[in-house]
Amino acid sequence: MRVLEKKDEVRNLVARARVGGRKIGLVPTMGFFHEGHLELMRLCRSRCGLCLVSIFVNPTQFGPAEDFDRYPRDLERDRALAEAESVDLIFAPAVEEMYAPDSSTVVLENLVSRGLCGLGRPGHFQGVATVVAKLFNIVQPDMAFFGRKDLQQLAVIRRMVRDLDFPVRVEAAPIVREPDGLALSSRNVYLEPEQRARAPGLYRALYRGAGMFSGAKGDTSPLLNEIHREIESATGGRLEYLSAVDEEMEEVDDASDCRYLAAALHLGPVRLIDNVEVA
Ligand code: AMP
């Protein structure tokens, strides 16, 4: 497995693989791998001849008061984990390699990115869409792999690919959870033991809520209020949002139109997000 830091090296290596007829797969990440990342690598490995994982903590998707500086990083550990999954190539550029100091062009998705996390994290999805567009242009993958944990991100990327005609097939992988239901996240390491013990209350309430929504009709408010109360009392956290949304991340008024329940919860120093599909 190679670890490359320069865009040109990546382009050259990928070009050679493409001439050899291999399908190119990309798994964009911010590193500090857990089983969720590894599942994406396995999916990529099973579908593509060249499996490339990018590790880049992208400053433009963090707000000024957010955790860019203290986002967990461990390239040596990530390298060993990726190697064990038979990844061919890690692309781990420095910020200066990715962004010119006077970089002035962005990708702005204007609909799917507005609600949910877009409200509490202004500029976040612009940063995400821009860096993913750049990675797509550097790597020119046939397929790119994203997790359903970041459901709105997935929807934004699908939109961007459709609207800007990127010749990339976007594949989604299911959410990987701890045995007690907590969705894996690199940030979970910052939960205190007591917070960690209460954190699965988010998933449990969403799961129960999805059961309540299934087959339900009419106003979503009474159901959402009940789930809201349950999440906050089970976790001791503060909900940033709890939304009933359709496939396009648009909030629905009628329970029968709800496809997902999605939430962001502040628990101690960590902002957890999760979602559950309504069957
Ligand atoms: P990140 O490194 O957090 O930016 O995540 C990189 C990719 O892994 C994204 O496509 C995420 O949606 C995906 N991912 C993160 N956590 C999980 C999880 N628990 N289950 C499935 N995919 C995940």
Side-chain angles (χ1 to χ4, degrees):
M1 188 186 70
R2 306 275 303 273
V3 181
L4 300 179
E5 294 174 1
K6 301 290 176 212
K7 300 183 225 185
D8 284 348
E9 297 172 328
V10 172
R11 279 192 221 278
N12 291 338
L13 206 142
V14 170
R16 284 206 296 279
R18 192 172 287 109
V19 169
R22 291 156 82 182
K23 280 243 175 307
I24 315 297
L26 171 66
V27 181
T29 81
M30 298 203 298
F32 209 71
F33 294 153
H34 52 62
E35 199 58 31
H37 297 112
L38 303 185
E39 274 297 312
L40 288 172
M41 294 176 206
R42 287 171 200 140
L43 190 60
C44 178
R45 182 72 286 166
S46 72
R47 306 284 298 278
C48 299
L50 185 92
C51 173
L52 194 158
V53 175
S54 62
I55 300 178
F56 182 61
V57 184
N58 173 36
T60 68
Q61 71 190 66
F62 288 78
E66 291 181 2
D67 58 350
F68 174 72
D69 288 328
R70 60 179 193 90
Y71 193 85
R73 296 164 168 90
D74 190 342
L75 186 57
E76 274 320 301
R77 178 175 164 275
D78 286 350
R79 178 204 287 255
L81 288 168
E83 184 134 44
E85 298 302 335
S86 307
V87 166
D88 297 298
L89 177 62
I90 287 181
F91 175 43
V95 171
E96 303 73 47
E97 175 69 7
M98 282 300 273
Y99 293 104
D102 59 348
S103 166
S104 55
T105 309
V106 295
V107 176
L108 178 58
E109 193 287 326
N110 248 323
L111 191 75
V112 180
S113 58
R114 276 209 204 140
L116 310 181
C117 292
L119 291 171
R121 303 186 73 187
H124 170 67
F125 287 114
Q126 177 178 307
V128 169
T130 302
V131 82
V132 171
K134 286 164 69 65
L135 289 168
F136 283 1
N137 284 331
I138 295 163
V139 176
Q140 300 185 11
D142 297 290
M143 290 186 205
F145 298 84
F146 295 86
R148 291 192 182 279
K149 155 109 184 323
D150 299 271
L151 189 67
Q152 190 179 14
Q153 168 174 286
L154 175 66
V156 171
I157 300 298
R158 286 198 194 282
R159 269 281 159 140
M160 177 187 85
V161 162
R162 186 199 72 179
D163 291 350
L164 300 184
D165 298 298
F166 279 96
V168 180
R169 197 167 145 168
V170 172
E171 298 281 335
I175 302 177
V176 180
R177 300 180 180 282
E178 299 281 6
D180 61 13
L182 177 64
L184 296 189
S185 163
S186 305
R187 291 181 169 104
N188 290 351
V189 293
Y190 290 125
L191 291 169
E192 299 290 342
E194 200 246 343
Q195 293 157 352
R196 171 63 190 81
R198 298 182 77 164
L202 173 60
Y203 171 64
R204 276 203 295 273
L206 287 176
Y207 181 82
R208 214 174 73 79
M212 285 156 50
F213 266 83
S214 179
K217 290 190 178 65
D219 188 7
T220 57
S221 308
L223 296 175
L224 288 175
N225 288 340
E226 185 178 338
I227 303 161
H228 192 291
R229 276 195 300 276
E230 187 177 332
I231 291 173
E232 293 195 335
S233 73
T235 62
R238 178 180 61 79
L239 268 176
E240 181 182 306
Y241 65 78
L242 167 68
S243 302
V245 295
D246 63 14
E247 197 68 48
E248 303 296 339
M249 303 297 110
E250 200 77 57
E251 289 205 46
V252 300
D253 296 324
D254 193 299
S256 60
D257 298 323
C258 174
R259 184 74 207 285
Y260 300 97
L261 289 178
L265 177 76
H266 294 269
L267 190 54
V270 181
R271 181 179 176 278
L272 301 173
I273 58 168
D274 203 348
N275 67 85
V276 170
E277 190 170 1
V278 175

